[in-house]
Amino acid sequence: MHHRIDPAPRLLPRLARSLAVLALGMAALTACGGGSSSSGSGNAAATTTSEAPASTGASQSPAQTLTATEADFSISLDKNTLPAGDYAITVVNNGRANHDLVVEQNGNDVARTDGKIAPGKSGTVAVTLEPGTYVFYCSIGNHRAMGMELTVQVT
Ligand SMILES: [Cu+2]
């Protein structure tokens, strides 16, 4: 019986000490909290570094180039097959009238040149083409009806 009672009084001081150590540890952690701003900025720097490869991955698909040549009154492209993707379209006006280029999908204009293009000048259109049918046309006057309309298949 005596042997069973003895251990208990020994445990209590040990528990008290453990709690005291825990309290000290908590205090130390709290004190470290003030210095966590420096380690926080370190984490931010690491995050910025890790984002660099991600942005590189996003730019892995550079815009494909396409040239649309316009005349009075026609539109022609320098490519017959257009795989889906981002495009930087150069619009060259070889005509004597002002022209522009509008990209239409399902009856909705999705991209266009920034204003009209004077004779001998060129413009650009940035557009993402999805698989399907598009129409490239000139929106100036009655040019579309006069032939400045081109159906384009994107695959
Ligand atoms: Cu035109």
Side-chain angles (χ1 to χ4, degrees):
M1 291 297 280
H2 287 277
H3 291 286
R4 285 185 184 176
I5 295 171
D6 278 338
R10 286 179 191 168
L11 266 176
L12 282 173
R14 283 181 189 174
L15 272 172
R17 280 179 203 154
S18 299
L19 286 172
V21 168
L22 266 177
L24 281 172
M26 296 286 279
L29 280 174
T30 306
C32 281
S36 70
S37 63
S38 62
S39 66
S41 65
N43 288 340
T47 302
T48 303
T49 305
S50 67
E51 276 173 5
S55 61
T56 303
S59 66
Q60 270 181 347
S61 55
Q64 303 175 71
T65 57
L66 176 68
T67 299
T69 302
E70 301 189 316
D72 310 328
F73 293 87
S74 66
I75 300 175
S76 60
L77 301 179
D78 67 339
K79 291 177 182 171
N80 292 323
T81 58
L82 296 176
D86 295 333
Y87 279 84
I89 305 174
T90 299
V91 185
V92 179
N93 182 359
N94 279 346
R96 293 187 174 188
N98 289 323
H99 296 299
D100 67 8
L101 185 77
V102 180
V103 178
E104 183 188 80
Q105 179 188 36
N106 300 324
N108 299 313
D109 296 346
V110 295
R112 61 164 59 235
T113 49
D114 188 17
K116 59 183 71 172
I117 303 166
K121 302 292 186 181
S122 62
T124 58
V125 179
V127 63
T128 300
L129 299 179
E130 302 159 346
T133 303
Y134 289 81
V135 176
F136 289 7
Y137 72 94
C138 177
S139 70
I140 295 177
N142 61 343
H143 294 188
R144 181 173 186 169
M146 294 177 71
M148 298 193 72
E149 179 184 63
L150 183 66
T151 300
V152 175
Q153 297 292 342
V154 178
T155 55

